[in-house]
Amino acid sequence: MDLNTIEKVARPSSRAQLPVWTAGDAWLAGGTWLFSEPQAHLTRLIDLSDLKWPALTISDSGLSIAATCTVAQLDALACPPDWLASPLINQCCRAFLASFKIWKTATVGGNLCMSLPAGPMISLTSALGGVCTIWKTGGGEQKIGVSDFVIGNQRNVLASGDLLRQIDLPLAALKRRSAFRQISLTPVGRSAALLIGSIGSAGDLTMTVTASTTRPVQLCFAAIPQTKELREALLHHIPDALYHDDVHGKPAWRKHMTLRLAEEIRAELQGLL
Ligand SMILES: Cc1cc2nc3c(=O)[nH]c(=O)nc-3n(C[C@H](O)[C@H](O)[C@H](O)COP(=O)(O)OP(=O)(O)OC[C@H]3O[C@@H](n4cnc5c(N)ncnc54)[C@H](O)[C@@H]3O)c2cc1C
């Protein structure tokens, strides 16, 4: 939709050119959410596209994803064969409730900054130990894990004017074996629960719960737990109030599916040992 309160669109091409942040400003990434509903409080958009950050950079330490990398660019990445967790990339990209038009435009950073429980880029990057780099409004940088970046439904740690620059996924996480489960209330509906489990070479298990909860929850076990231990850990670490409640699923059902999908993941990963 047209945003008819916008008076100006700034197009900086470097950090030095970022305008001084003022009330009524918003960063514009893909714009798939910004242009999807009225934004009567906004008067200026600061378009990130001319910053021309390289979308994806593979290095000895892992994968660096620019905040402006689109979902389609990430999905098309050819991963090294020893990145055993790489199927998660395609699985999470397909967990969007969205058409190809959204896919080609929506960015990874925009998805994190929206901080919707059903943000599949949050699921992916939190499960893979992603670390966010934030450009602070007044200068300087802040690093924070994705699991701590999102703190609730449409809530995150960004202060006014902070800019998410990139998300770094460590190599060790990309080499873990993984299992993915996702469910929606309707066939192509928004995710109501999205769980990712992964095991390291030492047999340790990490279970990441997203979509069913208002923020990511990550549980780590030194070895693959038994059914009962996993269930008790989930019940202990996820209070009922943390389960999300909206038209895409009632909290009680989301809780039930979380426990069920976690057990499926546990059993699948145990079978790989
Ligand atoms: C049909 C449809 C289906 C959708 N399905 C889903 C879904 O299944 N799951 C889901 O989570 N979302 C969904 N969305 C919402 C949205 O499209 C996605 O969250 C998308 O990833 C947002 O990315 P964007 O680049 O378009 O963000 P934009 O719309 O450009 O921005 C979103 C918000 O984040 C801020 N922002 C963007 N980039 C940065 C940055 N680098 N630093 C700081 N702030 C920033 C913007 O100012 C704005 O407030 C859907 C939207 C539509 C229209």
Side-chain angles (χ1 to χ4, degrees), residues 3 6 12 23 27 42 51 59 83 87 97 106-107 125 139 145 157 177 206 209-210 214 217 225 238 247 258 272-273:
L3 301 182
I6 299 298
W27 303 114
L42 296 183
L51 290 162
S59 70
W83 289 11
L97 158 64
T107 65
T125 55
V157 299
R177 289 182 188 280
T206 300
V209 178
T210 54
T214 53
V217 176
I238 311 181
V247 293
T258 298
L272 294 178
L273 285 180

Side-chain angles (χ1 to χ4, degrees), residues 26-34 36 48 67 95-98 102 105-107 109-111 113-114 116 118-120 158 162-164 190:
W27 303 114
L28 170 61
T32 58
W33 176 78
L34 267 178
S36 73
L48 303 178
F96 267 95
L97 158 64
I102 300 291
T105 318
T107 65
N111 193 246
C113 295
M114 275 304 300
L116 292 167
L158 290 177
D162 284 355
L163 177 61
L164 178 61
R190 197 175 269 188

